[in-house]
Amino acid sequence: MSSFGLGPFAPNTLSQSILPGWGAFNMTVNYQGSPDIETEVVRDVASFGRQIGWLSELVLELCKIHPPQGAAKDAEVKLRAAAERIKAIKDRREESARIEATEALERFRKEHPQRYALFLRDKAAELQAAESKEKPV
């Protein structure tokens, strides 16, 4: 009998990797294709999450043009709800990062006013250079 009290329907132990790829250890994931290709795609092109995000955006836009019926409609509702929850998480994280950055910059300004002034000058120059690249000549 399992230690979870569910008889023969549950395993004796459960294990799950937490934060794979985080820290000084390495983890191997079994892919259906070539692990080397998958690693390079995720590293150099887009994460799995980003790829799924693009596909989700595309599917939801197509659903506006061709509204699904039956089980496909249920799937659209679930996908739309998931997309909304993901957006809420991203928005919350973005706001948190903005607050942390603002607080860090304020500490930097107070503790190192001259270096802070140089930092701002450099960032202003970077912004100006980026804006001039965006403007057509």
Side-chain angles (χ1 to χ4, degrees), residues 105 108-109 112-126:
L105 284 170
F108 186 42
R109 182 188 68 78
H112 307 283
Q114 292 174 331
R115 290 161 94 190
Y116 178 77
L118 291 172
F119 171 79
L120 289 181
R121 187 193 69 206
D122 291 346
K123 288 298 164 194
E126 287 177 20

Side-chain angles (χ1 to χ4, degrees), residues 52-121:
I52 291 170
W54 293 332
L55 292 171
S56 295
E57 289 175 23
L58 177 64
V59 167
L60 291 173
E61 285 299 313
L62 289 172
C63 286
K64 290 177 186 176
I65 298 166
H66 301 287
Q69 305 294 317
K73 179 65 180 170
D74 292 340
E76 177 205 3
V77 169
K78 290 175 186 174
L79 182 60
R80 198 168 298 284
E84 290 171 7
R85 290 179 63 198
I86 290 166
K87 182 182 182 323
I89 290 168
K90 287 180 177 182
D91 289 348
R92 186 183 74 241
R93 294 286 183 116
E94 180 183 332
E95 177 62 12
S96 176
R98 186 193 63 75
I99 291 168
E100 288 176 24
T102 301
E103 290 171 351
L105 284 170
E106 184 58 22
R107 282 192 310 275
F108 186 42
R109 182 188 68 78
K110 288 178 180 178
E111 295 171 12
H112 307 283
Q114 292 174 331
R115 290 161 94 190
Y116 178 77
L118 291 172
F119 171 79
L120 289 181
R121 187 193 69 206

